[in-house]
């Protein structure tokens, strides 16, 4: 059984991270930075990892430096789960409700990059049309959570420290 403060920490970091993600994506949409791959990687990968790692470190501190791997991973997972679900819902709403024309803009930009790289002699896969179905978003969200969980497990293994045995 997980200590209640581990759950609270994971949920707190998840909620804060989700708010940051919604704000970030709304700013990206408003400024047109959905097309900037560097900013996109930063938002898709680094922000969630930062909040997840923060939850792990905070959990370890709250446990007075002694934490089991499963506790560290649980704090990370709760934070990442909330962030990824809210991020996915935000992107879905932007593409389908707020600005449906953005789908075409992003698709055109991807085709332009594809054509430029193809003309340069590089072989890259042709961009696919965005899958804006519930199934498509669910699958991509689950895959992202699983991929982000790998570094969370590694950091959880690094942070673990057993309590000394009491005599």
């Amino acid at each position: 059984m997980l200590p209640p403060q581990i759950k609270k920490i994971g949920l707190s970091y998840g909620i804060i991270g989700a708010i940051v993600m919604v704000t970030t994506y709304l700013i990206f949409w408003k400024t047109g930075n959905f097309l900037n791959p560097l900013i996109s990687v930063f938002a898709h990968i680094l922000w969630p990892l930062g909040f997840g790692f923060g939850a792990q470190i905070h959990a370890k501190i709250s446990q007075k430096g002694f934490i089991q791997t499963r506790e560290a991973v649980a704090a990370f997972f709760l934070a990442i789960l909330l962030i990824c679900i809210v991020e996915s819902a935000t992107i879905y709403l932007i593409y389908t409700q707020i600005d449906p024309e953005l789908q075409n803009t992003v698709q055109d930009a991807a085709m332009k990059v594809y054509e430029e790289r193809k003309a340069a002699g590089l072989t890259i896969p042709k961009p696919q049309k965005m899958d804006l179905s519930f199934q498509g978003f669910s699958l991509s969200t689950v895959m992202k959570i699983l991929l982000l969980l790998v570094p969370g497990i590694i950091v959880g293994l690094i942070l673990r420290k057993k309590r000394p045995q009491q005599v």
Side-chain angles (χ1 to χ4, degrees), residues 34-68:
F34 262 100
L35 305 175
N36 187 329
L38 184 62
I39 291 175
S40 187
V41 166
F42 180 75
H44 283 299
I45 309 278
L46 297 180
W47 282 70
L49 283 176
F51 282 102
F53 295 152
Q56 288 180 312
I57 292 167
H58 189 164
K60 182 172 181 166
I61 292 168
S62 77
Q63 297 289 326
K64 298 180 176 68
F66 300 104
I67 193 166
Q68 296 175 6

Side-chain angles (χ1 to χ4, degrees), residues 77-163:
F77 178 75
L78 287 172
I80 292 297
L81 180 67
L82 279 172
I83 291 168
C84 289
I85 289 172
V86 170
E87 174 190 26
S88 185
T90 302
I91 292 170
Y92 178 80
L93 289 173
I94 288 172
Y95 277 121
T96 61
Q97 305 299 314
I98 298 172
D99 189 2
E101 188 56 38
L102 184 61
Q103 298 171 41
N104 296 330
T105 305
V106 170
Q107 187 70 29
D108 292 345
M111 283 303 292
K112 183 179 175 187
V113 169
Y114 170 75
E115 295 297 332
E116 289 172 357
R117 292 188 177 166
K118 188 176 174 184
L122 299 172
T123 55
I124 61 170
K126 189 172 184 175
Q128 303 293 318
K129 185 160 174 52
M130 281 194 255
D131 182 6
L132 297 175
S133 67
F134 178 78
Q135 181 180 358
F137 266 85
S138 299
L139 181 61
S140 68
T141 301
V142 168
M143 291 302 295
K144 181 176 180 176
I145 291 169
L146 291 175
L147 289 172
L148 290 174
L149 199 53
V150 172
I153 292 170
I154 293 168
V155 170
L157 288 168
I158 293 168
L159 290 177
R160 74 178 171 193
K161 184 174 180 185
K162 291 185 179 185
R163 294 188 182 281

